[in-house]
């Protein structure tokens, strides 16, 4: 089954991105994504939440706002798509995610589409 | 065999095989609802056919064959059709080849109590899927409209399929936690079965199944022992006229001694592993309460010591109340009251209110005890318990 691993990080997690590329923070992320390589079918890290812009259409008008959709303590920082046998396997990968230590990692099955 | 006999036999076989067959049919597709539909059809055919043909030598295999044919024929279950018979046969063969096979009900129980499943659905799922009770029967035990419970079950089963929960035993790394949620779900039956021996019997059955499959897990055997103690003394908790009898006033001769012996044996086997846990400690407390069987007195200091260990290891509100009562027996009612009052009682906790009333009465504070009994009486749902509390209040 295919699952999205959605990574929600606190502000401090986003700040850690400024740390040196050969330091502990980036080292953990590199190791994680390399370890998961065999089961990963997609995904991307996202820029910091302040770079987000939201759009909604109401009564024909386009309402554009700066900032992410929800002002929550943790913000979506990136995602992986993995293909594994079952939920427990997906949860195991989620538990190994560096952000599981200070943020929240959500595991969500991809909706099966006809023809897949 | 007469039709009513065959019908009864079919129903017995259906109940006995329900969990195994659901486990086998749903393990590959994770589609529990489809497995149940197919089984219901197979049971209906059994009731129709068996009175004519006689009961087959292996009723379970007969039911499985028919169920998988039904399931395979149901066009709406494409996945099932794709896997169809060869896959199921292969799985059964695999199990046979793997030597002493895991009971499919064990995997089903781990599915029901998966942490990704709504905790409120776990126990009802076990009772309906593994034990084959109807949703109506289980809803009655929860004092809930059957439609509400059915909805919760439908949602939980849909979640098993949608989230991809595996019909497999968890990994070693997760083992303790996952087994813990299974044991909690079985133990929850005890809380439901005030006066309901049938349901407690179902709990003993589930715990027995776990113990047979996982004999090296001391907490599993501890839970089985605990439920057996409860079952053994259940009947003694009522007079023939239906009046409530508290544990200390029960005549040990009215206890089910075979069940207590079995409980003691399970507890002993569990303790031999040297890994104490919550259920073993609770069972040990029940075992101590059974000392009166041999004519002795209730060993309150030992009971308090066990409660103290339980309190460090796995405190629950209910066990803390029982600990306060034990402390009162050893150190006097004031000590018990101090402990009780240090607990943050969730609103409407009957055991807490009743224990407080009891200890206030013993501490020679009849007026406080009177209002405490009044509070407890309001909380008592069981009419027999209410009548008993009212009698205690009158005696003040």
């Amino acid at each position: 089954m295919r699952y999205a691993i959605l990574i929600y990080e606190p502000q401090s997690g986003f700040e850690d991105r400024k740390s040196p590329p050969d330091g502990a923070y980036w080292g953990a992320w590199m190791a994680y994504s390399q370890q998961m390589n065999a089961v990963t079918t997609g995904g991307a890290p996202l820029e910091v939440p302040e770079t987000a812009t939201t759009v909604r259409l109401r009564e024909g008008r386009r309402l554009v706002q700066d900032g992410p959709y929800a002002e929550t303590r943790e913000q979506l920082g990136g995602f992986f798509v993995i293909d594994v046998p079952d939920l427990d396997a997906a949860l195991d990968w989620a538990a190994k995610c560096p952000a599981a230590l200070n943020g929240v990692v959500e595991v969500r099955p991809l909706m099966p589409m006809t023809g897949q | 065999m007469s039709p009513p006999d065959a019908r009864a036999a079919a129903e017995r076989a259906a109940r006995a095989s329900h969990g195994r067959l659901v486990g086998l049919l749903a393990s590959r597709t994770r589609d529990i609802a489809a497995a149940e539909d197919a089984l219901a059809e197979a049971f209906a055919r059994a009731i129709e056919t068996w009175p004519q043909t006689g009961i087959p030598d292996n009723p379970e295999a007969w039911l499985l064959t028919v169920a998988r044919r039904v399931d395979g024929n149901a066009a709406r279950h494409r996945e099932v059709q794709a896997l169809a018979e060869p896959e199921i046969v292969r799985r059964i063969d695999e199990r046979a080849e793997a030597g002493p096979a895991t009971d499919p009900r064990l995997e089903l129980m781990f599915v029901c109590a998966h942490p990704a499943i709504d905790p409120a659905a776990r126990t009802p799922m076990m009772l309906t899927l593994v034990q084959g009770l109807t949703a109506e029967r289980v809803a009655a035990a929860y004092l809930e409209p059957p439609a509400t419970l059915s909805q919760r079950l439908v949602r939980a089963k849909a979640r098993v399929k949608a989230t991809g929960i595996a019909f497999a035993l968890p990994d070693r790394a997760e083992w303790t936690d996952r087994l813990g949620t299974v044991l909690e779900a079985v133990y929850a039956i005890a809380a439901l079965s005030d006066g309901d021996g049938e349901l407690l019997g179902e709990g003993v059955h589930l715990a027995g199944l776990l113990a047979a499959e996982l004999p090296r897990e001391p907490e599993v055997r501890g839970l089985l022992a605990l439920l057996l103690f409860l079952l053994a003394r259940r009947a003694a908790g009522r007079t023939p006229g239906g009046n409530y009898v508290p544990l200390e006033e029960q005549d040990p001769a009215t206890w089910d001694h075979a069940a207590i012996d079995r409980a003691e044996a399970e507890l002993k086997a569990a303790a031999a592993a040297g890994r104490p846990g919550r259920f073993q400690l609770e069972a040990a407390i029940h075992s101590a309460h059974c000392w009166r069987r041999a004519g002795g007195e209730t060993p309150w200091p030992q009971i308090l010591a066990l409660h103290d260990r339980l309190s460090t290891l796995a405190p629950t509100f209910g066990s803390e109340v029982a600990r306060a009562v034990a402390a009162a027996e050893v150190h006097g009612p004031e000590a018990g009251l101090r402990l009780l009052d240090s607990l943050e009682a969730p609103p409407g906790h009957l055991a807490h209110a009743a224990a407080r009333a009891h200890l206030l009465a013993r501490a020679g504070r009849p007026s406080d005890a009177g209002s405490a009994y009044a509070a407890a009486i309001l909380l008592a749902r069981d009419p027999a318990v209410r009548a008993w509390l009212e009698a205690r209040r009158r005696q003040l």
Side-chain angles (χ1 to χ4, degrees):
Chain A
M1 274 182 71
R2 292 202 299 157
Y3 294 88
I5 296 197
L6 306 170
I7 296 153
Y8 293 88
E9 294 174 89
Q11 190 53 39
S12 63
F14 289 103
E15 275 154 23
D16 285 341
R17 293 180 176 191
K18 295 172 196 150
S19 63
D22 54 353
Y25 173 81
W26 285 110
W29 277 104
M30 291 302 288
Y32 178 59
S33 65
Q34 266 167 23
Q35 219 188 342
M36 202 161 51
N37 214 12
V39 295
T40 305
T41 64
L46 301 177
E47 260 303 349
V48 293
E50 297 82 72
T51 63
T53 311
T54 60
V55 183
R56 61 200 91 191
L57 271 183
R58 295 290 180 274
E59 294 157 9
R61 283 188 56 218
R62 183 191 284 195
L63 305 175
V64 178
Q65 273 186 329
D66 68 323
Y69 160 58
E71 294 290 343
T72 50
R73 208 178 79 76
E74 278 96 8
Q75 289 285 341
L76 186 62
F79 64 97
F80 291 90
V81 175
I82 60 169
D83 198 342
V84 292
D86 54 55
L87 177 65
D88 283 322
L91 291 174
D92 284 346
W93 283 115
K96 285 184 189 142
C97 179
L101 287 166
N102 61 344
V104 183
V105 184
E106 180 175 325
V107 174
R108 200 106 59 104
L110 262 59
M111 195 170 123
M113 302 294 280
T114 328
Q116 277 185 356
Chain B
M1 179 177 285
S2 72
D5 285 350
R7 195 190 168 84
E11 279 166 2
R12 264 200 310 279
R15 264 302 300 280
S17 310
H18 194 274
R20 258 192 304 274
L21 293 178
V22 170
L24 279 173
L25 284 165
S27 64
R28 173 67 166 64
T29 61
R30 297 165 186 155
D31 195 336
I32 295 172
E36 283 182 297
D37 286 351
L39 267 184
E41 180 63 32
F43 292 146
R45 288 195 199 166
I47 288 168
E48 229 170 75
T49 319
W50 293 1
Q52 273 95 50
T53 60
I55 294 168
D57 291 339
N58 186 342
E60 206 167 287
W62 190 98
L63 288 164
L64 184 62
T65 310
V66 174
R68 68 193 188 207
R69 207 182 298 141
V70 172
D71 210 357
N73 287 346
R76 63 203 159 94
H77 303 309
R78 285 184 298 118
E79 271 183 279
V80 179
Q81 220 171 19
L83 88 94
E85 285 196 25
E87 172 65 17
I88 294 172
V89 170
R90 191 181 62 76
R91 278 189 70 87
I92 294 168
D93 291 347
E94 258 176 18
R95 284 174 182 281
E97 278 165 22
T102 313
D103 189 321
R105 289 175 292 182
L106 185 64
E107 291 171 0
L108 189 57
M109 286 173 85
F110 274 92
V111 170
C112 293
H114 195 283
I117 294 292
D118 170 13
R122 293 176 194 165
T123 309
M125 279 240 275
M126 279 189 190
L127 288 170
T128 53
L129 294 179
V130 185
Q131 294 297 92
L133 296 182
T134 63
E136 287 75 19
R137 175 69 185 82
V138 176
Y142 277 85
L143 308 172
E144 227 177 32
T148 311
L149 186 90
S150 295
Q151 258 177 11
R152 197 183 304 146
L153 290 171
V154 166
R155 270 199 301 271
K157 287 177 222 166
R159 210 174 141 76
V160 170
K161 185 162 190 280
T163 60
I165 291 175
F167 281 65
L169 298 185
D171 276 354
R172 209 167 189 79
E174 290 291 307
W175 177 254
T176 308
D177 283 349
R178 293 284 307 279
L179 181 61
T181 61
V182 173
L183 298 182
E184 285 294 334
V186 176
Y187 177 63
I189 295 169
L192 284 176
S193 24
D194 283 346
D196 189 335
E198 189 194 333
L199 220 51
L200 201 46
E202 303 289 343
V204 166
H205 202 273
L206 283 169
L209 189 123
L210 286 172
E213 292 291 314
L214 306 169
R216 284 174 217 281
E217 290 291 344
E219 277 293 87
V220 171
R221 306 189 80 161
L223 175 64
L224 175 57
L226 172 56
L227 294 178
L228 279 165
F229 279 122
L230 293 174
L231 189 64
R233 295 195 314 243
R234 195 194 62 85
R238 290 282 189 276
T239 64
N243 293 329
Y244 172 68
V245 187
L247 175 54
E248 289 322 299
E249 291 167 24
Q250 287 171 13
D251 175 3
T254 61
W255 293 341
D256 176 347
H257 296 281
I260 294 178
D261 290 342
R262 213 183 131 203
E264 298 285 6
E266 287 298 329
L267 183 55
K268 200 173 154 203
R275 283 185 283 147
R278 173 194 169 185
F279 295 119
Q280 292 170 76
L281 282 170
E282 288 198 29
I285 291 166
H286 282 281
S287 169
H289 277 290
C290 288
W291 281 19
R292 287 201 291 128
R293 269 209 306 175
E297 293 202 345
T298 303
W300 286 110
Q302 280 88 338
I303 289 174
L304 180 58
L306 288 166
H307 270 299
D308 287 342
R309 285 187 69 192
L310 185 59
S311 177
T312 343
L313 195 76
T316 62
F317 189 78
S319 69
E320 290 297 296
V321 169
R323 177 169 165 241
V325 171
E329 294 290 341
V330 178
H331 302 300
E334 295 296 346
L337 280 169
R338 268 197 304 280
L339 257 179
L340 268 189
D341 291 337
S342 72
L343 298 173
E344 253 180 63
H349 199 281
L350 172 62
H352 183 265
R356 211 165 160 272
H358 182 58
L359 295 188
L360 284 167
R362 288 197 34 206
R365 292 160 62 183
S367 148
D368 292 341
S371 34
Y373 272 120
I377 287 161
L378 283 176
L379 295 172
R381 263 196 328 224
D382 182 335
V385 172
R386 197 160 52 228
W388 177 77
L389 288 167
E390 277 162 355
R392 295 292 278 256
R393 183 165 63 155
R394 279 194 301 275
Q395 285 163 14
L396 287 171

